[in-house]
Amino acid sequence: MNLFRSRVSSSIVSTMAEELGSSASTATSSSQAKTRSFWPSILRWIPTSTDHVIAAEKRLLSLVKTPYVVEQVNIGSGPPGSKTRWFRSKSDEPRFINTVTFQSKEDSPTLVMVHGYGASQGFFFRNFDALASRFKIIAIDQLGWGGSSRPDFTCKSTEETEAWFIDSFEEWRKAKNLSNFILLGHSFGGYVAAKYALKHPEHVQQLILVGSAGFSSESDSKSEWLTRFRATWKGAVLNHLWESNFTPQKVIRGLGPLGPDMVRRYTTARFGSYSTGEVLAGEECKLLTDYVYHTLAAKASGELCLKYIFSFGAFARKPLLQSAPEWKVPTTFIYGFHDWMNYEGAQQARQLMKVPCEIIRVPKAGHFVFIDNPTGFHSAVFYACRMYISPNLETEHLPEGLTLA
């Protein structure tokens, strides 16, 4: 049996598809019972499923040359020690984390990669080949995202929402029998990675937070603009939508057959005409667009965490800055020069940390630094992990183009 061929157990995928299909069927029956609707039926058409997500992932990863294996890792039906099923979800079926592991050299350090909000592990497609030359790469879709299970999201607080992601990741780690790994998280994935490392520091060798969200709070002096904006009618409307948990994904689903074109316009603009670095080639853009659409249009689950983790304006309700003195894992922050996430929050956290911490800035890159400037991003990761991949070069100079903040 060749381990490093892309494969997914058909029985598991079928189970997951049935799970989504059951929810969709219930929702359809309910909507048909109503005689009135604000939306034409065509706008409720969602041409996607778990099978579509997995197929789109496979097409996108065809751009990667390194052999890999895809597996659905069973994490059970609920948090350990809890009588609930992932926080009051009605189904008691087991949940699965979509996991991609890339072939690597023997004894390579393990690097686990966690995606951000509205994304999935396939967003790292430009990085897998380069990083797999130095690490054993394992990339996951968080619970409720991508090709992972999408249970009903019934969390009612920030604490429950954090536990949803932290506990599911810990159950995944146990199932994979992992320990002493390097944990990399991007944006919201950085927030989850940091919260996980705070709760389970014994398993994490090094933390790499890429454009991490969650360091600033609404009480920061720089949020005064938000108070003024909320006083306007536009601000009031947007704040209401945020608190109502109206997500960008709902727009894509509501557009029905027009959804794919909306996503295409975004990807071609963000990673093309408005890119701050290396633009996507035609085939890259096409495959990423297809992948992004299916991950966004699938059943709502993890995306509904938004209002519980952040207040309007993307300010953390429980800022990581408050936990900085409790940090127990060496940490490297990576930001693109043009990242809309402010690296000053990381600088403030570093002053409070009692562990080694450095902040690396990558030129010609924005929030998606690993797509905008993959070469610079790889150099930053290699430098951050120099003591694990080149122990004799622990004092290696910072690669050209990168800067320390």
Side-chain angles (χ1 to χ4, degrees), residues 3 5 13 21 51 92 101 197 211 250 295 308 381:
L3 283 178
R5 294 179 59 188
V13 172
D51 288 333
D92 61 356
T101 304
K250 290 182 180 179
T295 59
Y308 297 107
V381 173

Side-chain angles (χ1 to χ4, degrees), residues 210-233:
V210 183
S212 181
F215 278 88
S216 58
S217 69
E218 196 174 325
S219 61
D220 291 349
S221 59
K222 292 185 178 180
S223 67
E224 293 178 358
W225 65 269
L226 183 62
T227 302
R228 294 193 297 270
F229 180 66
R230 276 180 176 161
T232 67
W233 71 268

Side-chain angles (χ1 to χ4, degrees), residues 48-110:
T48 193
S49 65
T50 301
D51 288 333
H52 282 85
V53 174
I54 296 297
E57 173 189 278
K58 186 175 182 179
R59 290 191 291 270
L60 180 63
L61 294 185
S62 69
L63 300 173
V64 180
K65 297 178 182 179
T66 305
Y68 65 90
V69 60
V70 178
E71 57 183 325
Q72 300 293 330
V73 178
N74 190 334
I75 62 170
S77 60
S82 173
K83 297 180 180 179
T84 60
R85 298 294 182 242
W86 293 114
F87 302 106
R88 295 185 292 275
S89 180
K90 296 179 181 178
S91 173
D92 61 356
E93 294 181 7
R95 309 303 183 185
F96 300 89
I97 296 294
N98 187 42
T99 306
V100 184
T101 304
F102 292 83
Q103 190 177 48
S104 62
K105 298 177 182 178
E106 191 175 353
D107 297 327
S108 296
T110 299

Side-chain angles (χ1 to χ4, degrees), residues 96-342:
F96 300 89
I97 296 294
N98 187 42
T99 306
V100 184
T101 304
F102 292 83
Q103 190 177 48
S104 62
K105 298 177 182 178
E106 191 175 353
D107 297 327
S108 296
T110 299
L111 175 64
V112 177
M113 305 180 72
V114 182
H115 63 83
Y117 185 88
S120 299
Q121 55 80 17
F123 271 64
F124 295 114
F125 75 97
R126 276 188 158 185
N127 316 117
F128 291 138
D129 283 329
L131 295 181
S133 68
R134 305 280 187 94
F135 303 97
K136 177 183 178 181
I137 298 296
I138 305 178
I140 68 165
D141 289 335
Q142 297 190 69
L143 182 65
W145 300 95
S148 292
S149 294
R150 294 176 178 242
D152 294 336
F153 189 87
T154 52
C155 297
K156 301 297 183 183
S157 68
T158 300
E159 291 75 17
E160 281 192 354
T161 303
E162 288 183 353
W164 162 287
F165 294 104
I166 295 170
D167 290 349
S168 60
F169 185 87
E170 172 61 4
E171 290 305 291
W172 171 84
R173 183 202 64 78
K174 291 178 183 176
K176 291 291 290 180
N177 194 28
L178 286 177
S179 191
N180 295 322
F181 55 89
I182 301 165
L183 181 57
L184 181 151
H186 171 244
S187 195
F188 171 69
Y191 179 88
V192 173
K195 290 286 185 175
Y196 176 83
L198 282 164
K199 186 174 182 179
H200 301 283
E202 67 277 11
H203 302 305
V204 183
Q205 284 181 307
Q206 169 112 4
L207 197 57
I208 302 178
L209 305 181
V210 183
S212 181
F215 278 88
S216 58
S217 69
E218 196 174 325
S219 61
D220 291 349
S221 59
K222 292 185 178 180
S223 67
E224 293 178 358
W225 65 269
L226 183 62
T227 302
R228 294 193 297 270
F229 180 66
R230 276 180 176 161
T232 67
W233 71 268
K234 291 182 180 179
V237 170
L238 291 175
N239 185 67
H240 175 73
L241 289 174
W242 185 284
E243 294 299 331
S244 300
N245 229 349
F246 187 86
T247 65
Q249 290 87 334
K250 290 182 180 179
V251 176
I252 300 301
R253 296 185 192 101
L255 287 173
L258 302 180
D261 185 61
M262 174 66 75
V263 175
R264 180 189 62 79
R265 289 172 181 269
Y266 166 74
T267 53
T268 54
R270 170 58 185 84
F271 303 112
S273 55
Y274 290 99
S275 173
T276 55
E278 184 181 323
V279 301
L280 291 179
E283 187 68 6
E284 288 180 311
C285 192
K286 175 183 175 182
L287 294 177
L288 181 61
T289 296
D290 177 54
Y291 176 70
V292 171
Y293 169 72
H294 288 295
T295 59
L296 294 181
K299 175 189 172 182
S301 181
E303 74 190 63
L304 299 175
C305 72
L306 196 58
K307 81 166 189 175
Y308 297 107
I309 299 295
F310 304 106
S311 62
F312 179 57
F315 292 102
R317 297 190 186 276
K318 297 185 68 175
L320 289 167
L321 189 60
Q322 296 176 358
S323 305
E326 304 167 23
W327 229 262
K328 294 182 176 64
V329 178
T331 302
T332 298
F333 294 90
I334 298 176
Y335 289 90
F337 273 20
H338 307 287
D339 196 332
W340 62 271
M341 285 290 182
N342 195 334

